[in-house]
Protein backbone atom coordinates (compact mmCIF):
# COMPACT_ATOMS: atom_id res chain seq x y z
CA UNK A 1 0.00 0.00 0.00
CA UNK A 2 1.28 3.43 -0.80
CA UNK A 3 -0.33 6.81 -0.25
CA UNK A 4 0.76 10.38 -0.26
CA UNK A 5 -0.86 12.32 2.51
CA UNK A 6 -0.41 15.39 4.62
CA UNK A 7 -3.22 15.12 7.12
CA UNK A 8 -3.86 13.66 10.50
CA UNK A 9 -7.39 12.57 11.33
CA UNK A 10 -8.35 15.83 12.87
CA UNK A 11 -7.44 17.95 9.86
CA UNK A 12 -9.04 15.46 7.52
CA UNK A 13 -12.23 15.37 9.52
CA UNK A 14 -12.69 19.07 9.71
CA UNK A 15 -11.99 19.90 6.11
CA UNK A 16 -13.38 16.88 4.33
CA UNK A 17 -16.32 15.84 6.48
CA UNK A 18 -17.35 19.21 7.86
CA UNK A 19 -17.87 17.84 11.33
CA UNK A 20 -16.38 20.30 13.75
CA UNK A 21 -17.13 18.95 17.24
CA UNK A 22 -13.64 17.64 17.81
CA UNK A 23 -11.41 20.60 18.61
CA UNK A 24 -7.98 21.38 17.33
CA UNK A 25 -5.74 22.87 20.00
CA UNK A 26 -2.02 22.33 20.46
CA UNK A 27 -1.64 19.56 17.85
CA UNK A 28 1.20 18.04 19.86
CA UNK A 29 -0.66 15.78 22.27
CA UNK A 30 -0.68 18.10 25.24
CA UNK A 31 -4.13 19.66 25.52
CA UNK A 32 -6.57 16.82 24.84
CA UNK A 33 -9.06 19.04 22.97
CA UNK A 34 -8.89 16.67 20.00
CA UNK A 35 -9.63 13.50 22.03
CA UNK A 36 -11.68 10.83 20.27
CA UNK A 37 -12.24 7.16 21.12
CA UNK A 38 -10.36 4.72 18.92
CA UNK A 39 -11.56 1.16 19.49
CA UNK A 40 -13.01 2.40 22.78
CA UNK A 41 -9.81 4.06 24.03
CA UNK A 42 -9.22 7.80 24.37
CA UNK A 43 -6.53 9.00 21.97
CA UNK A 44 -5.28 12.39 20.81
CA UNK A 45 -6.56 12.50 17.24
CA UNK A 46 -3.86 15.03 16.35
CA UNK A 47 -1.32 12.21 16.77
CA UNK A 48 -3.08 9.68 14.53
CA UNK A 49 -2.58 9.70 10.78
CA UNK A 50 -5.70 9.37 8.65
CA UNK A 51 -4.84 5.98 7.06
CA UNK A 52 -4.28 4.54 10.54
CA UNK A 53 -8.02 4.59 11.22
CA UNK A 54 -8.81 2.36 8.27
CA UNK A 55 -10.97 -0.45 9.69
CA UNK A 56 -10.79 0.99 13.23
CA UNK A 57 -13.80 2.08 15.25
CA UNK A 58 -13.77 5.83 15.87
CA UNK A 59 -16.24 7.62 18.13
CA UNK A 60 -16.25 11.41 18.12
CA UNK A 61 -18.33 13.81 20.15
CA UNK A 62 -20.94 13.79 17.38
CA UNK A 63 -21.68 10.15 18.22
CA UNK A 64 -22.16 10.63 21.94
CA UNK A 65 -25.76 11.84 22.01
CA UNK A 66 -28.53 9.54 20.85
CA UNK A 67 -30.13 11.77 18.23
CA UNK A 68 -31.65 14.70 20.13
CA UNK A 69 -31.27 12.91 23.45
CA UNK A 70 -28.07 13.94 25.21
CA UNK A 71 -25.78 11.34 26.75
CA UNK A 72 -26.03 11.24 30.58
CA UNK A 73 -22.48 12.66 30.74
CA UNK A 74 -23.54 15.64 28.63
CA UNK A 75 -26.59 16.20 30.87
CA UNK A 76 -24.40 16.02 33.93
CA UNK A 77 -21.88 18.51 32.48
CA UNK A 78 -24.77 20.94 31.91
CA UNK A 79 -26.23 20.34 35.39
CA UNK A 80 -22.89 21.03 37.04
CA UNK A 81 -21.91 24.10 35.00
CA UNK A 82 -18.92 22.13 33.77
CA UNK A 83 -19.08 23.88 30.39
CA UNK A 84 -17.72 27.42 30.35
CA UNK A 85 -16.25 28.43 27.00
CA UNK A 86 -16.73 24.82 25.91
CA UNK A 87 -13.51 24.40 23.99
CA UNK A 88 -12.24 21.56 26.16
CA UNK A 89 -15.67 19.95 26.55
CA UNK A 90 -15.76 17.51 23.61
CA UNK A 91 -12.37 16.11 24.61
CA UNK A 92 -13.30 16.00 28.30
CA UNK A 93 -16.48 14.08 27.49
CA UNK A 94 -14.61 11.51 25.41
CA UNK A 95 -12.04 10.95 28.17
CA UNK A 96 -14.86 10.66 30.69
CA UNK A 97 -16.66 8.14 28.49
CA UNK A 98 -13.53 5.98 28.21
CA UNK A 99 -13.25 6.07 32.01
CA UNK A 100 -16.88 5.14 32.71
CA UNK A 101 -16.91 2.41 30.05
CA UNK A 102 -14.00 0.68 31.77
CA UNK A 103 -14.48 1.78 35.39
CA UNK A 104 -18.19 2.13 36.17
CA UNK A 105 -17.69 3.44 39.71
CA UNK A 106 -14.51 5.55 39.65
CA UNK A 107 -12.90 7.18 42.66
CA UNK A 108 -12.13 10.90 42.57
CA UNK A 109 -8.49 10.00 41.99
CA UNK A 110 -9.44 7.83 39.01
CA UNK A 111 -11.54 10.66 37.59
CA UNK A 112 -8.72 13.16 37.94
CA UNK A 113 -6.28 10.72 36.32
CA UNK A 114 -8.69 10.07 33.45
CA UNK A 115 -8.91 13.76 32.57
CA UNK A 116 -5.26 14.53 33.30
CA UNK A 117 -4.57 14.75 29.56
CA UNK A 118 -7.32 17.34 29.02
CA UNK A 119 -6.57 20.96 29.78
CA UNK A 120 -9.35 23.35 30.76
CA UNK A 121 -8.50 27.01 30.99
CA UNK A 122 -11.84 28.14 32.43
CA UNK A 123 -13.39 25.86 34.99
CA UNK A 124 -10.65 24.94 37.44
CA UNK A 125 -11.72 21.33 36.87
CA UNK A 126 -13.85 20.94 40.01
CA UNK A 127 -17.19 21.17 38.19
CA UNK A 128 -15.97 18.70 35.59
CA UNK A 129 -14.87 16.22 38.26
CA UNK A 130 -18.22 16.66 40.03
CA UNK A 131 -20.12 16.16 36.78
CA UNK A 132 -18.34 12.86 36.11
CA UNK A 133 -18.78 11.76 39.72
CA UNK A 134 -22.49 12.59 39.72
CA UNK A 135 -23.32 10.91 36.45
CA UNK A 136 -22.20 7.81 38.21
CA UNK A 137 -24.66 8.58 40.99
CA UNK A 138 -27.39 8.81 38.38
CA UNK A 139 -26.60 5.48 36.81
CA UNK A 140 -26.28 3.76 40.19
CA UNK A 141 -29.74 4.93 41.20
CA UNK A 142 -31.32 3.55 38.07
CA UNK B 1 3.37 19.07 7.80
CA UNK B 2 5.17 18.15 4.59
CA UNK B 3 3.85 15.46 2.27
CA UNK B 4 5.36 12.04 2.72
CA UNK B 5 4.80 8.54 1.48
CA UNK B 6 3.05 6.14 3.78
CA UNK B 7 3.68 2.41 3.98
CA UNK B 8 2.06 -0.13 6.27
CA UNK B 9 3.98 -3.41 6.19
CA UNK B 10 2.29 -6.42 7.74
CA UNK B 11 5.38 -8.41 8.71
CA UNK B 12 8.83 -7.78 10.17
CA UNK B 13 10.45 -9.06 6.95
CA UNK B 14 8.40 -6.63 4.88
CA UNK B 15 9.26 -3.73 7.21
CA UNK B 16 12.98 -4.57 7.08
CA UNK B 17 12.90 -4.78 3.28
CA UNK B 18 11.21 -1.36 3.11
CA UNK B 19 13.76 0.14 5.50
CA UNK B 20 16.59 -1.16 3.33
CA UNK B 21 14.96 0.00 0.13
CA UNK B 22 13.91 3.49 1.26
CA UNK B 23 17.17 4.39 3.01
CA UNK B 24 17.75 7.55 4.99
CA UNK B 25 14.43 9.31 4.29
CA UNK B 26 12.42 6.56 5.96
CA UNK B 27 11.03 6.85 9.48
CA UNK B 28 9.40 4.08 11.49
CA UNK B 29 6.03 4.99 13.01
CA UNK B 30 4.76 3.13 16.09
CA UNK B 31 2.38 5.02 18.44
CA UNK B 32 3.40 8.28 16.81
CA UNK B 33 3.51 10.28 20.05
CA UNK B 34 7.06 11.37 19.28
CA UNK B 35 7.07 11.03 15.48
CA UNK B 36 3.93 13.09 14.81
CA UNK B 37 5.18 15.91 17.02
CA UNK B 38 8.44 15.85 15.07
CA UNK B 39 6.68 15.79 11.68
CA UNK B 40 4.73 18.89 12.59
CA UNK B 41 7.91 20.85 13.06
CA UNK B 42 8.10 20.74 9.24
CA UNK B 43 11.84 21.24 9.25
CA UNK B 44 13.73 20.33 6.12
CA UNK B 45 15.03 17.07 7.47
CA UNK B 46 11.68 15.44 8.27
CA UNK B 47 11.03 12.03 6.85
CA UNK B 48 10.13 11.59 3.20
CA UNK B 49 8.47 8.26 3.93
CA UNK B 50 6.75 6.83 6.96
CA UNK B 51 6.77 3.10 7.68
CA UNK B 52 3.81 2.44 9.97
CA UNK B 53 4.59 -0.80 11.82
CA UNK B 54 1.39 -0.92 13.89
CA UNK B 55 -0.10 -3.56 11.59
CA UNK B 56 2.59 -6.11 12.48
CA UNK B 57 0.83 -8.31 15.03
CA UNK B 58 3.95 -10.32 15.92
CA UNK B 59 5.39 -7.14 17.49
CA UNK B 60 2.61 -6.89 20.10
CA UNK B 61 2.17 -8.48 23.51
CA UNK B 62 3.85 -9.59 26.71
CA UNK B 63 5.02 -13.17 27.25
CA UNK B 64 6.81 -15.15 29.93
CA UNK B 65 9.09 -18.14 29.94
CA UNK B 66 10.41 -19.79 33.10
CA UNK B 67 12.76 -16.98 34.12
CA UNK B 68 12.17 -14.30 31.56
CA UNK B 69 9.64 -11.67 30.57
CA UNK B 70 9.48 -10.72 26.90
CA UNK B 71 7.77 -7.48 25.90
CA UNK B 72 7.20 -6.83 22.21
CA UNK B 73 7.97 -3.27 21.12
CA UNK B 74 4.46 -2.29 20.00
CA UNK B 75 3.04 -2.97 23.47
CA UNK B 76 1.47 0.28 24.67
CA UNK B 77 2.10 1.88 28.05
CA UNK B 78 -1.55 1.18 28.95
CA UNK B 79 -1.11 -2.52 28.16
CA UNK B 80 2.01 -2.65 30.34
CA UNK B 81 0.16 -0.84 33.12
CA UNK B 82 -2.60 -3.48 33.04
CA UNK B 83 -0.30 -6.50 32.68
CA UNK B 84 -0.37 -8.90 35.61
CA UNK B 85 3.03 -10.31 34.52
CA UNK B 86 4.65 -6.87 34.72
CA UNK B 87 2.88 -6.15 38.02
CA UNK B 88 4.35 -9.34 39.52
CA UNK B 89 7.80 -9.55 37.96
CA UNK B 90 8.69 -5.93 37.19
CA UNK B 91 6.56 -3.64 39.38
CA UNK B 92 8.94 -0.69 38.95
CA UNK B 93 8.25 -0.73 35.21
CA UNK B 94 4.54 -0.57 35.95
CA UNK B 95 5.10 2.45 38.20
CA UNK B 96 7.15 4.12 35.48
CA UNK B 97 4.60 3.72 32.67
CA UNK B 98 1.79 4.87 34.97
CA UNK B 99 3.46 8.28 35.05
CA UNK B 100 3.99 8.70 31.31
CA UNK B 101 2.15 11.61 29.68
CA UNK B 102 -1.59 11.20 29.99
CA UNK B 103 -4.11 8.41 29.40
CA UNK B 104 -4.28 9.38 25.72
CA UNK B 105 -0.49 9.25 25.37
CA UNK B 106 -0.32 5.92 27.24
CA UNK B 107 -3.03 4.45 24.99
CA UNK B 108 -0.95 5.13 21.88
CA UNK B 109 2.68 5.37 22.99
CA UNK B 110 4.70 2.16 22.92
CA UNK B 111 7.65 0.85 24.92
CA UNK B 112 9.58 0.32 21.68
CA UNK B 113 9.08 3.94 20.67
CA UNK B 114 10.13 5.11 24.12
CA UNK B 115 13.42 3.19 23.85
CA UNK B 116 14.18 4.01 20.20
CA UNK B 117 13.43 7.71 20.59
CA UNK B 118 16.20 7.70 23.21
CA UNK B 119 15.24 10.97 24.89
CA UNK B 120 17.08 11.54 28.17
CA UNK B 121 13.71 11.66 29.90
CA UNK B 122 12.44 8.28 28.57
CA UNK B 123 10.73 6.81 31.60
CA UNK B 124 10.86 3.11 30.72
CA UNK B 125 14.62 3.08 30.31
CA UNK B 126 15.90 3.39 33.92
CA UNK B 127 13.64 0.51 35.10
CA UNK B 128 14.60 -1.64 32.10
CA UNK B 129 18.31 -1.10 32.71
CA UNK B 130 17.85 -1.91 36.40
CA UNK B 131 16.08 -5.11 35.32
CA UNK B 132 19.03 -6.04 33.09
CA UNK B 133 17.05 -5.81 29.86
CA UNK B 134 18.43 -6.84 26.49
CA UNK B 135 16.90 -5.85 23.18
CA UNK B 136 16.83 -7.58 19.81
CA UNK B 137 17.32 -5.57 16.62
CA UNK B 138 16.48 -6.98 13.22
CA UNK B 139 17.37 -5.77 9.74
CA UNK B 140 17.22 -7.15 6.22
CA UNK B 141 20.69 -8.61 6.73
CA UNK B 142 20.31 -10.29 10.10
CA UNK B 143 19.64 -9.73 13.78
CA UNK B 144 21.57 -9.06 16.97
CA UNK B 145 21.00 -8.68 20.67
CA UNK B 146 22.31 -5.72 22.67
CA UNK B 147 22.29 -5.03 26.42
CA UNK B 148 20.14 -1.95 26.93
CA UNK B 149 22.86 -0.50 29.17
CA UNK B 150 25.15 -0.44 26.12
CA UNK B 151 22.57 0.74 23.64
CA UNK B 152 22.60 4.51 24.25
CA UNK B 153 25.62 6.65 23.49
CA UNK B 154 24.15 10.09 24.21
CA UNK B 155 20.68 11.65 24.33
CA UNK B 156 18.79 10.75 21.12
CA UNK B 157 21.77 8.69 19.85
CA UNK B 158 22.01 4.90 20.04
CA UNK B 159 24.13 2.17 18.52
CA UNK B 160 21.19 1.14 16.30
CA UNK B 161 22.09 1.19 12.62
CA UNK B 162 19.89 2.66 9.95
CA UNK B 163 17.56 -0.10 8.81
CA UNK B 164 17.33 -1.87 12.17
CA UNK B 165 13.95 -2.59 13.70
CA UNK B 166 13.54 -3.20 17.42
CA UNK B 167 11.66 -6.50 17.67
CA UNK B 168 11.93 -7.62 21.30
CA UNK B 169 12.75 -6.48 24.82
CA UNK B 170 13.58 -9.18 27.34
CA UNK B 171 14.67 -9.24 30.98
CA UNK B 172 14.95 -11.74 33.84
CA UNK B 173 11.98 -11.83 36.22
CA UNK B 174 12.67 -10.11 39.51
CA UNK B 175 12.99 -12.72 42.28
CA UNK B 176 10.02 -12.76 44.66
CA UNK B 177 12.08 -11.35 47.54
CA UNK B 178 13.31 -8.34 45.52
CA UNK B 179 11.66 -4.96 46.10
CA UNK B 180 11.68 -2.20 43.53
CA UNK B 181 10.61 1.37 42.94
CA UNK B 182 10.61 4.17 40.40
CA UNK B 183 10.40 7.85 41.26
CA UNK B 184 10.07 10.76 38.91
CA UNK B 185 10.17 14.43 39.48
CA UNK B 186 8.42 16.57 36.90
CA UNK B 187 7.07 20.08 36.91
CA UNK B 188 3.51 18.86 37.43
CA UNK B 189 1.77 15.52 37.89
CA UNK B 190 0.41 14.75 34.45
CA UNK B 191 1.96 15.52 31.09
CA UNK B 192 5.28 16.29 32.62
CA UNK B 193 8.59 15.21 31.24
CA UNK B 194 10.95 13.80 33.85
CA UNK B 195 13.38 16.38 35.14
CA UNK B 196 15.01 13.69 37.27
CA UNK B 197 14.08 10.11 38.01
CA UNK B 198 15.45 7.03 39.77
CA UNK B 199 14.82 3.31 39.40
CA UNK B 200 15.88 1.14 42.34
CA UNK B 201 15.86 -2.56 43.22
CA UNK B 202 16.87 -4.02 46.59
CA UNK B 203 17.03 -7.64 47.76
CA UNK B 204 17.57 -8.67 51.39
CA UNK B 205 18.46 -12.07 52.81
CA UNK B 206 16.68 -13.72 55.76
CA UNK B 207 18.56 -11.64 58.29
CA UNK B 208 17.74 -8.38 56.50
CA UNK B 209 21.19 -7.85 54.99
CA UNK B 210 21.15 -6.40 51.46
CA UNK B 211 22.36 -8.96 48.92
CA UNK B 212 21.55 -7.02 45.76
CA UNK B 213 21.21 -3.31 45.05
CA UNK B 214 20.61 -1.64 41.70
CA UNK B 215 20.28 2.10 41.21
CA UNK B 216 19.70 3.72 37.80
CA UNK B 217 19.13 7.48 37.68
CA UNK B 218 17.24 8.89 34.72
CA UNK B 219 17.61 12.26 33.01
CA UNK B 220 20.68 13.14 35.08
CA UNK B 221 23.69 11.34 33.61
CA UNK B 222 24.86 11.65 29.98
CA UNK B 223 23.58 8.10 29.41
CA UNK B 224 21.76 5.70 31.66
CA UNK B 225 23.69 3.19 33.70
CA UNK B 226 23.76 1.58 37.11
CA UNK B 227 25.72 3.52 39.69
CA UNK B 228 27.82 0.71 41.12
CA UNK B 229 29.69 3.10 43.46
CA UNK B 230 26.43 3.73 45.31
CA UNK B 231 25.19 0.14 45.02
CA UNK B 232 28.40 -1.15 46.64
CA UNK B 233 27.81 1.07 49.67
CA UNK B 234 24.62 -0.86 50.33
CA UNK B 235 25.44 -4.50 49.61
CA UNK B 236 26.38 -6.49 52.70
CA UNK B 237 24.72 -4.02 55.09
CA UNK B 238 21.37 -3.79 56.79
CA UNK B 239 19.36 -0.91 55.36
CA UNK B 240 19.23 2.24 57.47
CA UNK B 241 18.21 5.77 56.68
CA UNK B 242 21.84 6.92 57.06
CA UNK B 243 22.98 4.32 54.56
CA UNK B 244 20.33 5.43 52.05
CA UNK B 245 21.31 9.07 52.57
CA UNK B 246 24.93 8.15 51.88
CA UNK B 247 23.97 6.27 48.71
CA UNK B 248 21.97 9.28 47.56
CA UNK B 249 24.96 11.59 48.10
CA UNK B 250 27.15 9.20 46.16
CA UNK B 251 24.81 9.24 43.16
CA UNK B 252 24.74 13.00 43.28
CA UNK B 253 28.60 13.15 43.39
CA UNK B 254 28.81 10.83 40.41
CA UNK B 255 26.33 12.98 38.50
CA UNK B 256 28.45 16.06 39.10
CA UNK B 257 31.61 14.21 38.10
CA UNK B 258 29.99 13.68 34.69
CA UNK B 259 28.23 16.96 34.13
CA UNK B 260 30.52 19.35 35.98
CA UNK B 261 28.98 22.21 37.91
CA UNK B 262 26.52 24.26 35.92
CA UNK B 263 23.53 26.50 36.51
CA UNK B 264 21.20 23.63 37.37
CA UNK B 265 23.61 21.83 39.71
CA UNK B 266 22.64 23.80 42.76
CA UNK B 267 19.13 22.43 42.37
CA UNK B 268 19.91 18.95 41.11
CA UNK B 269 22.64 18.03 43.61
CA UNK B 270 20.46 17.86 46.73
CA UNK B 271 17.34 16.80 44.83
CA UNK B 272 18.83 13.73 43.18
CA UNK B 273 20.29 12.68 46.56
CA UNK B 274 16.86 12.90 48.18
CA UNK B 275 15.16 11.19 45.24
CA UNK B 276 17.59 8.24 45.50
CA UNK B 277 17.07 8.02 49.26
CA UNK B 278 13.29 8.00 48.81
CA UNK B 279 13.43 5.45 46.00
CA UNK B 280 15.48 3.16 48.24
CA UNK B 281 13.08 3.66 51.14
CA UNK B 282 10.21 2.72 48.81
CA UNK B 283 11.82 -0.70 48.33
CA UNK B 284 10.37 -2.17 51.49
C1 LIG C 1 2.19 15.15 25.53
C2 LIG C 1 3.29 14.11 25.63
C3 LIG C 1 3.72 13.68 26.88
C4 LIG C 1 4.75 12.73 26.98
N1 LIG C 1 5.14 12.31 28.23
C5 LIG C 1 6.13 11.41 28.35
C6 LIG C 1 6.56 10.97 29.65
O1 LIG C 1 6.05 11.41 30.69
N2 LIG C 1 7.58 10.07 29.72
C7 LIG C 1 8.17 9.56 28.59
O2 LIG C 1 9.07 8.75 28.73
N3 LIG C 1 7.78 9.95 27.36
C8 LIG C 1 6.78 10.85 27.20
N4 LIG C 1 6.38 11.25 25.96
C9 LIG C 1 7.09 10.75 24.77
C10 LIG C 1 6.44 9.55 24.06
O3 LIG C 1 5.07 9.49 24.32
C11 LIG C 1 7.06 8.23 24.48
O4 LIG C 1 8.44 8.26 24.24
C12 LIG C 1 6.44 7.04 23.73
O5 LIG C 1 6.76 5.86 24.40
C13 LIG C 1 6.93 6.94 22.30
O6 LIG C 1 6.35 5.77 21.72
P1 LIG C 1 5.59 5.81 20.33
O7 LIG C 1 5.14 4.43 20.06
O8 LIG C 1 4.57 6.87 20.32
O9 LIG C 1 6.81 6.19 19.38
P2 LIG C 1 6.84 6.85 17.93
O10 LIG C 1 6.59 8.30 18.03
O11 LIG C 1 6.04 6.06 16.99
O12 LIG C 1 8.39 6.58 17.62
C14 LIG C 1 9.42 7.15 18.40
C15 LIG C 1 10.79 6.88 17.76
O13 LIG C 1 11.11 5.50 17.82
C16 LIG C 1 11.25 4.93 16.53
N5 LIG C 1 10.66 3.60 16.63
C17 LIG C 1 9.44 3.29 17.17
N6 LIG C 1 9.26 1.96 17.22
C18 LIG C 1 10.40 1.40 16.71
C19 LIG C 1 10.83 0.04 16.50
N7 LIG C 1 10.08 -1.02 16.85
N8 LIG C 1 12.05 -0.15 15.93
C20 LIG C 1 12.84 0.90 15.59
N9 LIG C 1 12.50 2.18 15.77
C21 LIG C 1 11.27 2.44 16.32
C22 LIG C 1 10.57 5.90 15.60
O14 LIG C 1 11.11 5.87 14.31
C23 LIG C 1 10.85 7.22 16.28
O15 LIG C 1 12.13 7.67 16.00
C24 LIG C 1 5.35 12.20 25.80
C25 LIG C 1 4.90 12.63 24.55
C26 LIG C 1 3.88 13.58 24.44
C27 LIG C 1 3.41 14.01 23.09
S1 LIG D 1 -4.83 19.22 19.68
FE1 LIG D 1 -4.45 17.15 20.05
S2 LIG D 1 -3.81 17.16 22.11
FE2 LIG D 1 -3.96 19.27 21.66
S1 LIG E 1 -14.54 25.34 29.51
FE1 LIG E 1 -13.15 26.68 28.55
S2 LIG E 1 -11.40 25.42 28.36
FE2 LIG E 1 -12.68 24.23 29.56
Amino acid sequence: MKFVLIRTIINGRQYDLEVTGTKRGCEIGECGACTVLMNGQAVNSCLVLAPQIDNQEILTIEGLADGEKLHPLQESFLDHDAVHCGFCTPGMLMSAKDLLDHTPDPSEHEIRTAISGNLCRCSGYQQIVDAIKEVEGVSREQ
Amino acid sequence: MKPFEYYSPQSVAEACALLAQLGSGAKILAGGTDVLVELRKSADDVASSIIDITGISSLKGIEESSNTIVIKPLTTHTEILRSALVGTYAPLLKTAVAGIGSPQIRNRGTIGGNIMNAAACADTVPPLIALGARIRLQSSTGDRTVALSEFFTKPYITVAQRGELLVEIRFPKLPSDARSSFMKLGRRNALSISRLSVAAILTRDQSGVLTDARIVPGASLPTWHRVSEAENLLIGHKPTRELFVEAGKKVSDIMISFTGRRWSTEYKEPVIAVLVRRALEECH
Side-chain angles (χ1 to χ4, degrees), chain A residues 3 27 30 35 42 46 52 118, chain B residues 3 6 40 52 104 107 191:
Chain A
F3 302 88
E27 293 198 288
E30 295 195 346
T35 304
C46 66
Q52 295 189 293
N118 294 82
Chain B
Y6 173 86
R40 284 200 198 282
D52 177 1
Q104 292 94 319
N107 286 342
L191 289 168

Side-chain angles (χ1 to χ4, degrees), chain A residues 82-89 92 119-123 128:
Chain A
V83 183
H84 292 201
C85 79
F87 193 80
C88 69
T89 313
M92 283 287 179
L119 301 185
C120 176
R121 298 187 58 184
C122 308
S123 74
I128 295 171

Side-chain angles (χ1 to χ4, degrees), chain B residues 107-161:
Chain B
N107 286 342
R108 291 291 291 171
T110 65
I111 188 167
N114 197 235
I115 293 170
M116 297 305 288
N117 197 53
C121 55
D123 283 324
T124 65
V125 172
L128 286 172
I129 288 181
L131 288 162
R134 299 176 69 78
I135 59 174
R136 198 153 70 83
L137 300 165
Q138 196 164 327
S139 70
S140 59
T141 54
D143 72 317
R144 59 177 177 141
T145 302
V146 186
L148 196 60
S149 56
E150 282 156 24
F151 182 62
F152 304 98
T153 49
K154 44 179 133 146
Y156 298 104
I157 310 289
T158 71
V159 301
Q161 303 288 312

